[in-house]
Amino acid sequence: MIKFDKNNKVFTLDTVKTTYAIGLMDEGVLVHLYWGKKLKNPINAEWKKDFIWRSHSPFDYGDYSTNVLPLEFSAYGGGDSRLPSFSALYDDGSRVSKYRFKGYEIVNGKPEISGLPSTYAEKGDRVQTLIINLFDELKNVDIYLNYSVFEDLDAITRNVKIVNGGNTFKLHTVLSATTDFFGTDDMDIIHLDGAWARERYVTRQRIVKGNQNIKSQIGVSSSYHNPFIAVCDKNTTENSGDAYGFNLVYSGNFTAGAELNPYGTLRAYIGINPNEFEWVLESGKSFETPEAILVYSPEGLSGMSRIFHRLIRTRLARGKWRDKERYALINNWEATYFDFNEDKIVEIAKKAKEIGVDTMVLDDGWFGRRTGETRGLGDWVEMPERLPNGLKGLADRVNALGMRFGLWFEPEMVNPDSELFETHPDWIIHTKGRTPSKIRDQYTLDLSRDEVCEYIVNAVGSVLEKANIEYVKWDMNRQMSEVGSAGLPSENQGEVMHRYMLGLYRVLDTLTKKFPNVLFEACASGGARYDGGILHYMPQVWASDDTDAVERILIQYGTSFVYPYSSMGAHVSACPNHQNKRTTPFEMRCQVAIAGQFGFELDLNKCSGEELEIAKKAVEDYRRLGEIFHKGDLYRLRSPFETQMAVNEFISEDKKKVLVCIYPHSMTTAGHDEYIKLAGLEENANYELNGKIYGGDYLMNKGIYFINDSLYKTRILELNKC
Ligand code: DGJ
């Protein structure tokens, strides 16, 4: 519910449990008043006095001390020394902007953001949007700050639209959200960092004076940093305390962070990375930023995650597969790499079918000249040596086993050794006069160009039409370098990386709508493009190329800070593990993968009878429990980054079933025992565990007794509410 109190000049944005409030100063400046637990009473006019006092600083620039006020929006040029929400270079050489309040509108529902992925409202949802119009009189430019309030999901989304009624100018910074916290010296920032095969590790640090920033500038959201930050009280834990989360629905360059100024005002921010961005905004044209999701929870970091999960799973992801339980699949990559043919794939599929797996996914190597990593990308036609009967022949044989057939593509890339590159050498991202770097022997296709996007839609589309392909793994294996486009004039070269994203989203939108029955899974050297932008089109992402169970405990734990388990592709692979050579028990590998979108990444023909029995049981358990992992409420009870194990608790939507996954990943003290306190149960209810009855209050205040008596002995406990 959104309200504007005309007397006190306060906008309040209420969800079921939270309030976000914006104040309007008499001079037309918007200030951030409040974000936290829901306020039952209106904020009275007194708020202005505090803010006026605060603005009496020795650094009194312009009409307001914009350097000390908690601003809701800050345009460069008025004296604010922090990272601005907006900056531009105007045609007269000036960089100074001055935006003041012009009006507002409250509409029901949520307008689409043109060309960009975003959350959406469905019929019957209690969603409203506040559109605040700011105006720079001198430059004749309107800015619209859009706030959509998902009342029942306790989330707010923000984005910014700029409409240029004046002369053409260059946009430099347009962040999707800046939120200033008043007088905060004791807060932490949390972000998810990593690299290939160790994506989304949790980093938590005290916010000190200055700017703590994470970013991407390599054209993809990347495995180095995820487009997410949380700021929280220093005492906030997984299940208590204030937590504020910011997530950008975007797959390209981003910046995010927290800047604490000398006066104790903290600016949290997220948006397109201004360092790698420049956009010529012609007279009469508009520009819209990606969407930022803002979440507040008083129930700690797990509380914040639960809100993200529900919103991302139900109102960002879309399409037929959004709510459906998906397959247990087998993928041949780690089983064969490039050494396969039709018969070998069918043999792998047959064995998998015996243990209940229902989808066979053929990975890299089925097309063009693709005998290995260095060749063939771009030529999406079957290789007769490997598939003498084409994709149709193989898909038909897999279907005859009673299984679905899935296929790997890497449509955004091209190898120099390919027909596509030989025909269109200028279709790659490159800068004239500079040698384009090869990464994994490949170049990035220039999706800022319409003809390239069209090629991809047609190439992928015609493959999907020629055989019964029900699943697509959409891979992307390099970052951008020497960025430039042969399709744009020199003054627009700063737009290439954002235009690439717009092109990619158009391609994904077209293909996913044209093939609504196909389940699309994203991948980028594992999880290097795991973000809300991608999840809008493809509801799951291959979380990491690291399939080692110990590493996966950490990766999946970090990923769950923002993204639901329903979005995490997680497979059981062979040991010693191909990435780090570690050997872990087969059961552990199954129990770690089962919480995600479960599957196998090995040749089951090579497994022992005992392993096959474990695998079969895992597939059965996955069918029985998958919905609880994917749609239930997650409470993280132990962090694998801080303790010897991860403990994740999932409560089913109907609250009747509780799963407690205990994942010891190391053992510094043999036989270490402890009680693990559960969370989120009903105090007065009883729960049955292994034939014994425990009170909800006992389980939450005392806990479940656990002995870490054997390295890597994982458990999944099932509790039933009596
Ligand atoms: C990188 C992916 O992450 C792997 O799963 C696999 O599909 C390879 N690419 C294939 O080249």
Side-chain angles (χ1 to χ4, degrees):
M1 178 78 154
I2 301 172
K3 274 185 287 187
F4 180 54
D5 177 340
K6 288 201 173 69
N7 297 327
N8 295 330
K9 298 271 173 33
V10 177
F11 290 97
T12 42
L13 288 68
D14 282 337
T15 68
V16 169
K17 293 189 188 152
T18 73
T19 295
Y20 185 108
I22 304 162
L24 177 59
M25 306 286 277
D26 294 341
E27 294 73 10
V29 175
L30 290 177
V31 290
H32 183 77
L33 277 191
Y34 178 84
W35 189 19
K37 274 189 192 153
K38 185 161 182 164
L39 298 179
K40 295 199 175 76
N41 303 302
I43 299 175
N44 66 32
E46 289 300 303
W47 70 264
K48 271 195 209 158
K49 291 198 183 134
D50 313 342
F51 278 64
I52 287 165
W53 183 86
R54 195 157 231 256
S55 68
H56 282 275
S57 88
F59 305 96
D60 199 356
Y61 297 91
D63 18 34
Y64 262 96
S65 293
T66 48
N67 203 23
V68 292
L69 284 174
L71 298 171
E72 191 58 24
F73 174 84
S74 169
Y76 176 78
D80 185 356
S81 66
R82 297 161 291 182
L83 184 73
S85 324
F86 177 90
S87 75
L89 174 60
Y90 296 101
D91 61 332
D92 58 0
S94 136
R95 292 170 191 273
V96 177
S97 299
K98 185 171 174 178
Y99 285 89
R100 292 294 182 261
F101 182 78
K102 184 169 159 189
Y104 75 96
E105 200 187 345
I106 296 168
V107 298
N108 285 329
K110 181 170 188 288
E112 257 187 41
I113 304 177
S114 135
L116 286 165
S118 59
T119 55
Y120 54 88
E122 287 201 336
K123 211 167 163 236
D125 287 354
R126 293 197 295 170
V127 176
Q128 281 191 318
T129 301
L130 166 66
I131 305 163
I132 300 183
N133 183 188
L134 306 174
F135 186 58
D136 186 325
E137 216 177 311
L138 184 66
K139 298 297 173 191
N140 197 12
V141 176
D142 283 285
I143 286 189
Y144 297 90
L145 307 180
N146 301 317
Y147 298 80
S148 292
V149 177
F150 287 78
E151 194 160 344
D152 296 303
L153 292 171
D154 279 317
I156 293 174
T157 62
R158 288 180 61 176
N159 94 311
V160 177
K161 183 175 181 175
I162 296 116
V163 180
N164 185 9
N167 296 340
T168 297
F169 70 93
K170 273 187 180 169
L171 281 174
H172 276 190
T173 309
V174 209
L175 297 182
S176 301
T178 52
T179 301
D180 288 2
F181 295 78
F182 195 106
T184 39
D185 265 339
D186 272 338
M187 287 183 92
D188 288 352
I189 181 169
I190 296 171
H191 41 99
L192 305 173
D193 310 314
W196 176 74
R198 62 171 168 86
E199 296 90 343
R200 292 170 300 285
Y201 273 29
V202 179
T203 301
R204 179 172 180 161
Q205 67 203 60
R206 183 61 39 86
I207 298 174
V208 295
K209 295 268 177 359
N211 186 13
Q212 348 314 251
N213 171 257
I214 55 156
K215 64 175 183 180
S216 163
Q217 58 190 45
I218 52 177
V220 291
S221 49
S222 93
S223 52
Y224 303 146
H225 298 285
N226 196 265
F228 154 81
I229 56 155
V231 293
C232 62
D233 189 82
K234 69 172 185 221
N235 298 317
T236 295
T237 66
E238 279 288 10
N239 291 300
S240 70
D242 289 335
Y244 301 85
F246 299 76
N247 181 229
L248 192 67
V249 181
Y250 191 59
S251 314
N253 295 337
F254 71 91
T255 187
E259 184 169 358
L260 182 62
N261 80 357
Y263 303 99
T265 301
L266 177 72
R267 172 164 301 162
Y269 58 87
I270 198 159
I272 291 180
N273 188 344
N275 288 338
E276 325 303 324
F277 171 83
E278 199 171 71
W279 192 273
V280 179
L281 191 60
E282 287 173 19
S283 178
K285 291 273 163 57
S286 63
F287 179 89
E288 268 200 276
T289 70
E291 172 169 279
I293 302 174
L294 274 67
V295 159
Y296 161 75
S297 172
E299 293 169 24
L301 298 165
S302 286
M304 170 197 77
S305 302
R306 287 193 292 279
I307 299 173
F308 274 127
H309 293 175
R310 195 152 292 129
L311 183 74
I312 289 173
R313 185 171 60 73
T314 66
R315 290 296 180 269
L316 178 59
R318 61 175 195 180
K320 171 178 164 180
W321 290 101
R322 188 190 76 177
D323 302 327
K324 269 175 101 89
E325 274 312 302
R326 300 166 207 160
Y327 324 129
L329 64 79
I330 183 141
N331 175 303
N332 73 303
W333 179 241
E334 287 196 20
T336 67
Y337 295 101
F338 290 104
D339 182 18
F340 67 86
N341 58 27
E342 182 186 303
D343 286 341
K344 206 167 183 178
I345 298 299
V346 172
E347 284 315 303
I348 291 173
K350 265 189 194 156
K351 196 70 188 174
K353 177 67 189 168
E354 282 175 25
I355 61 154
V357 169
D358 56 16
T359 303
M360 173 75 230
V361 178
L362 174 60
D363 212 279
D364 195 356
W366 57 267
F367 51 89
R369 308 170 188 170
R370 191 74 168 165
T371 44
E373 266 183 27
T374 59
R375 332 177 59 202
L377 287 176
D379 302 338
W380 302 108
V381 281
E382 298 101 317
M383 187 194 287
E385 295 78 14
R386 288 189 177 142
L387 300 178
N389 304 302
L391 284 166
K392 173 142 178 44
L394 175 57
D396 286 350
R397 284 178 75 186
V398 169
N399 288 165
L401 296 171
M403 296 175 88
R404 297 175 173 100
F405 178 66
L407 193 62
W408 180 97
F409 290 90
E410 193 176 353
E412 298 161 68
M413 297 291 154
V414 65
N415 285 120
D417 185 353
S418 68
E419 214 180 299
L420 181 67
F421 185 73
E422 284 157 10
T423 323
H424 296 290
D426 64 331
W427 274 16
I428 62 165
I429 294 277
H430 69 289
T431 292
K432 216 169 157 197
R434 307 259 176 222
T435 308
S437 303
K438 283 183 276 179
I439 301 180
R440 209 193 186 207
D441 269 297
Q442 62 198 52
Y443 299 132
T444 309
L445 284 171
D446 180 358
L447 272 70
S448 72
R449 300 178 65 165
D450 288 347
E451 59 272 45
V452 176
C453 294
E454 218 172 286
Y455 170 79
I456 293 174
V457 167
N458 291 335
V460 174
S462 60
V463 173
L464 296 184
E465 268 159 7
K466 67 167 82 153
N468 187 21
I469 297 163
E470 297 181 80
Y471 171 106
V472 165
K473 177 175 173 187
W474 184 290
D475 205 350
M476 197 286 302
N477 285 303
R478 67 158 286 175
Q479 61 201 54
M480 290 183 202
S481 61
E482 294 87 24
V483 174
S485 169
L488 286 169
S490 54
E491 65 268 28
N492 299 94
Q493 290 295 322
E495 300 170 11
V496 176
M497 281 155 133
H498 183 60
R499 283 189 184 274
Y500 180 98
M501 284 305 142
L502 296 175
L504 173 64
Y505 292 143
R506 216 164 45 240
V507 166
L508 293 177
D509 192 52
T510 309
L511 283 169
T512 51
K513 283 184 177 150
K514 190 161 178 206
F515 299 97
N517 294 326
V518 174
L519 170 58
F520 283 81
E521 175 175 84
C523 174
S525 309
R529 201 168 59 180
Y530 203 134
D531 55 66
I534 286 297
L535 285 169
H536 183 62
Y537 305 98
M538 313 197 237
Q540 62 189 65
V541 182
W542 178 228
S544 177
D545 273 350
D546 199 334
T547 48
D548 168 52
V550 172
E551 280 298 318
R552 275 298 186 123
I553 289 172
L554 299 154
I555 292 167
Q556 293 174 193
Y557 190 91
T559 305
S560 81
F561 267 59
V562 190
Y563 308 103
Y565 268 86
S566 61
S567 69
M568 293 180 214
H571 300 168
V572 174
S573 65
C575 276
N577 180 268
H578 292 196
Q579 282 70 41
N580 66 6
K581 311 287 176 276
R582 189 185 343 242
T583 295
T584 52
F586 198 87
E587 186 171 36
M588 174 190 200
R589 282 174 264 159
C590 288
Q591 292 201 344
V592 171
I594 198 175
Q597 291 294 345
F598 182 61
F600 296 89
E601 187 102 3
L602 77 178
D603 186 350
L604 289 160
N605 289 298
K606 296 186 178 148
C607 287
S608 68
E610 192 193 337
E611 285 173 337
L612 286 174
E613 276 311 307
I614 297 171
K616 191 165 177 232
K617 177 166 182 308
V619 173
E620 283 161 13
D621 285 347
Y622 178 64
R623 281 173 205 266
R624 202 166 51 82
L625 306 174
E627 194 162 14
I628 306 176
F629 293 123
H630 299 161
K631 298 185 180 165
D633 276 337
L634 170 68
Y635 293 82
R636 288 180 299 261
L637 304 178
R638 286 281 187 288
S639 166
F641 297 97
E642 290 160 16
T643 69
Q644 295 175 36
M645 58 190 174
V647 182
N648 297 324
E649 178 193 327
F650 298 85
I651 302 183
S652 65
E653 282 186 297
D654 65 7
K655 314 271 179 238
K656 288 189 178 149
K657 195 140 187 125
V658 181
L659 303 177
V660 182
C661 305
I662 307 178
Y663 298 142
H665 61 77
S666 60
M667 194 165 64
T668 49
T669 315
H672 163 82
D673 63 345
E674 62 179 295
Y675 281 87
I676 299 168
K677 287 181 189 169
L678 305 193
L681 306 182
E682 286 170 42
E683 277 188 358
N684 298 325
N686 283 319
Y687 294 83
E688 177 270 332
L689 168 66
N690 295 330
K692 295 201 184 95
I693 306 294
Y694 299 89
D697 50 359
Y698 179 85
L699 289 169
M700 290 194 290
N701 295 315
K702 181 72 181 173
I704 290 175
Y705 181 64
F706 171 76
I707 316 174
N708 189 5
D709 54 357
S710 169
L711 184 62
Y712 301 154
K713 187 159 174 19
T714 54
R715 282 91 158 158
I716 296 183
L717 309 178
E718 293 185 33
L719 288 85
N720 297 297
K721 197 170 113 186
C722 312

